[in-house]
Amino acid sequence: MISFFEASLKQLSIHHTGNKLVEEYYKLSDAPLKIEDELLGNLLMQYFLKPFEKINEVYRFFHPNDNLQLNEVFHFAHEIFENNVLFHEDSQQLAKYLYDVANHPKIKSGELYVAYFEKVQIEGEQLDVLGIFKSETKDTYLKVFPELDGFNMSYEQEAISINKLDKGCLIFNVDKEEGYKVVVLDQSKSSNDSAVYWKDEFLKLKIRNDSYNQTNNVLGVYKNFVTQKLDDDYEISKADKIDLLNRSMKYFKEKETFDIEEFGNEVIGNAEGIESFKNYKKNYEEEFESPIADHFEIAESAVKKQARAYKSVLKLDKNFHIYIHGNKDMIEKGYDDDKSMNFYKVYFREEE
């Protein structure tokens, strides 16, 4: 979705931000970095842009008061796009603002990079881009080099791997009135306040409500409905759950558009279950303020992403895994009184 084969890095400013709750401070550079080494420039392009190649979700800036100008990052991005002379000054303001919103003791200090790119492509359009990145993880690297008749070794501590961008966002200079097109990356694994501050507190982003997001959300909501909600309302076997998931994935892979009535009839096939799913979807929309249309074009890339999360494996104690890909009528569940154990009977025509 995002490519940078014609892109170029025009400006780069580097600052350091700490955590005020643990008495760390920020340090601002006085001027942008001059990149005169072509190899260094290429390495920076890889470090900053390559992690975004496989990202499909597009976000928008927003503010809870519905006034985009109150979103600080939007404000500074807009200034830079309108007047590039302000690039370094606004990069300093972004560093100070990031420092202000780091209100959790576990937020790590690190370098903040603000970069200006030209000709980065998204959705088939080449645009100027403002990139904001933060490096938090440092590594130690060994270097082996020839010396006399053999080799010697040195090391570099507190170095940054160009393959490990911790946090970043790309702001594309398009759709300003709607909050620009923004893609975001955050490698934090946890879901506590120290992890969500980048997207929620610093950037203040909301997902763009396009076909990719609609497809992704419906598949995610349906998966949770089958794996969690159905247990509350019905007695349903794991094999039947897997069958429901397989049927939904088949629907999304074969259809070009989603229609909730058609989906309910073809996949769920039970009036009570269909109504239960519709209510579950409605509750999701209200809780997360993320409406999902009853009819939309299916995004193939979102289907591929969700397919990796759909499990079709029936795990039986620690002895057997049964992969169910098709007709659930070919598997039967029973109970053996003599062994006092459950069993599955599987029908097939030939071994492969």
Side-chain angles (χ1 to χ4, degrees), residues 157-206:
Q157 288 184 308
E158 295 294 300
I160 298 168
S161 169
I162 63 169
N163 297 315
K164 294 181 181 179
L165 180 63
D166 291 299
K167 291 177 171 60
C169 78
L170 300 178
I171 306 164
F172 291 82
N173 189 13
V174 68
D175 299 343
K176 181 192 74 175
E177 301 301 324
E178 299 173 48
Y180 293 121
K181 288 182 181 178
V182 185
V183 292
V184 64
L185 174 77
D186 190 343
Q187 301 285 18
S188 301
K189 301 300 182 183
S190 60
S191 59
N192 57 34
D193 292 340
S194 66
V196 301
Y197 86 100
W198 178 255
K199 182 168 72 75
D200 296 344
E201 298 298 326
F202 176 57
L203 297 171
K204 292 188 181 69
L205 297 174
K206 65 178 179 181

Side-chain angles (χ1 to χ4, degrees), residues 266-304:
E266 292 189 14
V267 176
I268 301 174
N270 174 281
E272 189 176 351
I274 293 171
E275 190 62 28
S276 179
F277 172 63
K278 288 181 178 179
N279 290 334
Y280 190 82
K281 170 178 168 289
K282 182 179 179 181
N283 291 336
Y284 170 88
E285 293 172 314
E286 293 174 351
E287 181 178 355
F288 294 98
E289 297 182 356
S290 181
I292 302 173
D294 290 341
H295 186 90
F296 57 82
E297 291 186 6
I298 292 173
E300 183 180 353
S301 56
V303 176
K304 289 181 179 178

Side-chain angles (χ1 to χ4, degrees), residues 5-6 17 26 46 70 79 99 111 125 135 145 155 172 178 183 185 189 197 202 228-229 243 265 287 291 295 310 331:
F5 58 92
E6 292 186 56
T17 63
Y26 62 80
Q46 178 181 339
L70 297 178
E79 277 198 348
Y99 179 78
E111 288 72 39
E125 188 175 11
S135 61
F145 54 90
Y155 62 92
F172 291 82
E178 299 173 48
V183 292
L185 174 77
K189 301 300 182 183
Y197 86 100
F202 176 57
Q228 300 173 18
K229 175 63 176 173
D243 179 63
N265 292 329
E287 181 178 355
H295 186 90
Y310 268 54
I331 182 170

